[in-house]
Amino acid sequence: MNSKTKVWDERRNFMKKAGTATLAVPAVWYLGKSRMAHAEDLPKLTEDDATAVALKYVHDASQAKDRKDPTSDCANCLHYTGADGVEFGPCAIFPGKSVSAKGWCNVWAKKA
Ligand code: SF4
């Protein structure tokens, strides 16, 4: 391989990597944005949902009869993945639904 061929190979490799990065950055941004939009669009869990009833979920943690820690609510629960400041967010225990940040259920576990 002569030096001209080597230079062209290096340029070609650089262009391939640059092209891949150019496509990857918007794709990652789009996927992240669509996932955030999806979380906001989740239907709200209702208190009369069968699983919610079984786990004693309430939208207002202060109304939870079994709550021992008065500071516990969904916003500070290990299973909650809603963004700070939003009223409702996803919970791993209720997939496909959003729960109130001020809610509570008997699976509550303190977020680390
Ligand atoms: Fe709220 Fe946690 Fe119960 Fe989910 S598991 S509903 S975040 S208290």
Side-chain angles (χ1 to χ4, degrees):
M1 182 181 300
N2 66 33
S3 63
K4 257 187 176 173
T5 306
K6 186 176 178 186
V7 168
W8 278 109
D9 279 349
E10 286 172 359
R11 285 183 184 170
R12 195 176 306 120
N13 286 339
F14 172 78
M15 294 304 286
K16 279 184 190 172
K17 288 176 185 171
T20 301
T22 302
L23 293 174
V25 170
V28 168
W29 171 82
Y30 176 77
L31 289 172
K33 184 176 173 157
S34 66
R35 194 167 64 198
M36 284 173 60
H38 179 69
E40 293 165 4
D41 296 339
L42 289 174
K44 292 175 181 169
L45 178 68
T46 59
E47 291 181 353
D48 62 356
D49 173 282
T51 308
V53 170
L55 299 180
K56 300 183 179 175
Y57 169 83
V58 287
H59 290 310
D60 178 358
S62 69
Q63 302 300 309
K65 293 180 178 79
D66 294 352
R67 187 171 77 147
K68 305 270 189 296
D69 177 350
T71 66
S72 63
D73 61 19
C74 292
N76 60 26
C77 175
L78 172 72
H79 306 292
Y80 184 75
T81 56
D84 288 343
V86 297
E87 287 184 41
F88 279 77
C91 164
I93 303 302
F94 297 100
K97 302 282 171 95
S98 63
V99 298
S100 170
K102 294 178 180 169
W104 187 90
C105 83
N106 64 10
V107 183
W108 181 87
K110 190 174 177 66
K111 193 178 281 185

